[in-house]
Amino acid sequence: MTSWKTFLMKSIAVVGGGITGVTTAYALARRGFSVTLFERHRYAAMETSFANGGQLSASNAEVWTHWSTLAKGIKWMLRADAPLLVNPRPSWHKLSWFAEFIASMPHYRANTIETARLAVAARQHLFAWADAEGIDFDLKRLGILHIYRNRAGFDHAGRVSALLAKGGLERRAVTPDEMRAIEPTLAGQYYGGYYTESDSTGDIHKFTNGLAAAARRLGVQMLYNQDVRSVSTTGRRVTVQSAEDNLPTSRDFDGVVVCAGVASRAFAQQLGDRINVYPVKGYSITVNLNDAESQASAPTVSLLDDETKLVTSRLGADRFRVAGTAEFNGINRDIRADRIRPLVDWVHQCFPGVSTRSVVPWAGLRPMMPNMMPRVGRGHAANVFYNTGHGHLGWTLSAVTAEMVGDVVRQAAGDGRVALGEMASGVTA
């Protein structure tokens, strides 16, 4: 029998100050909640949301739970420069994650369609927020061009396009001549491509910090330099214990939303939930276009090279971002030269006029669920919520999942009561 207790849920803690945490705090503040955000760095967006590929890419909504992904991972296991690299050293976390990954393969089609639907829906929120708050983040609404060097890749893309269309996304096949017309700076020989005019690019770090400032104007308390040590709940109150300069502090709230990226798994365990997020490392380089020839030779249209799993974005006049690859190696933020080199070589191959004298390397850990779908909704305790596990589409999906979890929290607060000792229903995107 359910035991009901009545209380008002007004104060909400948000754990994590990346793109997911900041969008969540903003969405909650717009719904009238008193929001406090905890972030361990001095600024927002200093980890996975710092220097990603820059794409807002519904066209990249295909989930990875396909037999070909597994085959490539095994094939490339001993190649240091492989687009997908798996450290063969076993761990229970890694083994359990891959077991669930394989179990999710029958849902590949449905999850790809749903991810596309979410990505399309996210656009209206993100662009509306940027317009309303005056956020400049080097936005380019010039579409994304997927490039293919052989028929096999092109034909697979055609099958993916049919799934994306079911999710509400239009993209069209283009010939090599049409590809050159779309992006004249692209060098090399290609079988064909797919072009999504409705996709866009921008600087995730600039956007996140702009929205963090907007959230602060709405009354969100932004607590930076806060290393969250533990999160606990009685079912009525949530306690967040954090430390700044090793000085511990304990604060109480009515509820909590965990948006902590790869740390979400540990916090979920403290709260009695299982969120099997795995850290999948991605790399990027930011090429500084310091001369006129480089600026003229770098693309303005965003690209996605499915063979090498690399994406690009042009960030203003003088920066060119190239990002991608996937590395399964646990919590490891090392920037490896042998993983950065293929990105620089790709620039030489595809855009030979771009100078790579000034290149800034970066690595970040994508929080990925085994089924490639974000975990959005309630936890076991009725005042605990999650918005995490977005994988390679964190920025693309962030606005819609923030709205979703905002609605879930508002519904819980609107009930005026919570059920103690009963598993709350999850809203998993």
Side-chain angles (χ1 to χ4, degrees):
M1 182 175 179
T2 301
S3 174
W4 290 97
K5 299 290 183 181
T6 301
F7 75 96
L8 294 177
M9 192 185 303
K10 293 183 177 180
S11 63
I12 306 293
V14 173
V15 180
I19 183 63
T20 307
V22 169
T23 52
T24 297
Y26 181 78
L28 289 169
R30 283 166 55 94
R31 286 162 171 77
F33 289 98
S34 173
V35 183
T36 301
L37 181 143
F38 291 82
E39 167 54 42
R40 71 187 186 95
H41 290 286
R42 188 177 180 183
Y43 312 101
M46 294 303 293
E47 290 200 10
T48 308
S49 301
F50 184 74
N52 75 349
Q55 291 188 334
L56 291 162
S57 51
S59 60
N60 197 20
E62 181 190 12
V63 298
W64 297 4
T65 49
H66 192 272
W67 66 267
S68 61
T69 306
L70 204 61
K72 289 174 182 176
I74 295 171
K75 174 184 174 183
W76 290 335
M77 192 170 288
L78 300 179
R79 270 186 52 191
D81 62 346
L84 173 62
L85 182 65
V86 180
N87 185 331
R89 182 179 302 167
S91 71
W92 172 248
H93 186 194
K94 189 188 299 180
L95 291 173
S96 68
W97 191 93
F98 274 111
E100 292 182 42
F101 178 92
I102 293 170
S104 298
M105 286 184 176
H107 308 292
Y108 159 83
R109 289 176 55 86
N111 286 346
T112 295
I113 294 168
E114 177 63 7
T115 302
R117 185 190 69 78
L118 290 169
V120 170
R123 294 169 173 165
Q124 59 180 319
H125 302 297
L126 187 142
F127 292 144
W129 295 348
D131 289 343
E133 305 295 349
I135 302 172
D136 176 14
F137 60 104
D138 295 324
L139 174 64
K140 286 189 182 297
R141 302 181 72 166
L142 299 176
I144 294 178
L145 175 64
H146 288 227
I147 62 177
Y148 301 93
R149 294 175 178 78
N150 55 59
R151 181 172 180 174
F154 182 82
D155 288 348
H156 178 76
R159 294 188 289 272
V160 172
S161 288
L163 298 179
L164 300 180
K166 292 180 181 295
L169 181 72
E170 294 184 12
R171 74 173 185 172
R172 59 185 173 91
V174 290
T175 67
D177 287 342
E178 290 173 316
M179 292 170 61
R180 282 187 285 272
I182 292 168
E183 183 44 72
T185 65
L186 177 63
Q189 299 298 314
Y190 301 93
Y191 183 87
Y194 274 85
Y195 182 48
T196 310
E197 295 179 74
S198 58
D199 275 342
S200 55
T201 59
D203 187 323
I204 186 175
H205 184 72
K206 292 176 71 172
F207 176 84
T208 308
N209 277 274
L211 195 68
R216 189 182 296 110
R217 291 193 295 269
L218 288 175
V220 175
Q221 186 177 13
M222 312 293 284
L223 298 182
Y224 295 116
N225 290 316
Q226 294 290 325
D227 183 12
V228 175
R229 303 287 176 83
S230 70
V231 185
S232 59
T233 180
T234 64
R236 291 177 59 87
R237 297 290 286 171
V238 166
T239 300
V240 178
Q241 294 185 336
S242 63
E244 181 176 0
D245 297 328
N246 286 321
L247 297 176
T249 304
S250 180
R251 297 176 175 88
D252 290 339
F253 303 90
D254 296 325
V256 64
V257 186
V258 176
C259 308
V262 298
S264 298
R265 178 172 177 261
F267 290 130
Q269 288 175 336
Q270 295 175 6
L271 293 163
D273 296 312
R274 183 173 184 272
I275 308 291
N276 198 15
V277 167
Y278 192 87
V280 181
K281 189 195 297 186
Y283 292 85
S284 79
I285 57 172
T286 302
V287 183
N288 292 314
L289 307 173
N290 293 328
D291 57 86
E293 181 183 358
S294 292
Q295 291 178 11
S297 301
T300 54
V301 173
S302 178
L303 305 174
L304 194 154
D305 186 338
D306 266 331
E307 181 180 330
T308 60
K309 303 303 180 188
L310 295 181
V311 306
T312 75
S313 57
R314 182 71 176 267
L315 305 176
D318 58 0
R319 290 186 300 151
F320 177 44
R321 178 76 47 77
V322 180
T325 75
E327 183 178 315
F328 290 78
N329 195 23
I331 302 288
N332 181 307
R333 295 180 174 86
D334 295 344
I335 300 176
R336 293 173 44 176
D338 58 350
R339 304 291 285 159
I340 293 294
R341 186 74 242 172
L343 278 65
V344 177
D345 291 344
W346 186 89
V347 175
H348 293 165
Q349 176 190 0
C350 296
F351 302 99
V354 173
S355 170
T356 54
R357 287 189 180 93
S358 178
V359 169
V360 181
W362 173 85
L365 300 178
R366 309 180 188 99
M368 283 196 167
M369 296 291 289
N371 63 355
M372 301 285 114
M373 305 299 288
R375 175 67 167 84
V376 185
R378 298 191 186 198
H380 182 82
N383 61 348
V384 172
F385 308 87
Y386 296 93
N387 186 14
T388 190
H390 295 62
H392 68 296
L393 291 178
W395 191 20
T396 297
L397 300 179
S398 60
V400 73
T401 59
E403 289 289 292
M404 290 167 62
V405 80
D407 286 344
V408 173
V409 176
R410 181 167 59 184
Q411 181 182 19
D415 288 344
R417 58 182 186 173
V418 296
L420 303 182
E422 182 182 74
M423 179 64 179
S425 60
V427 180
T428 302

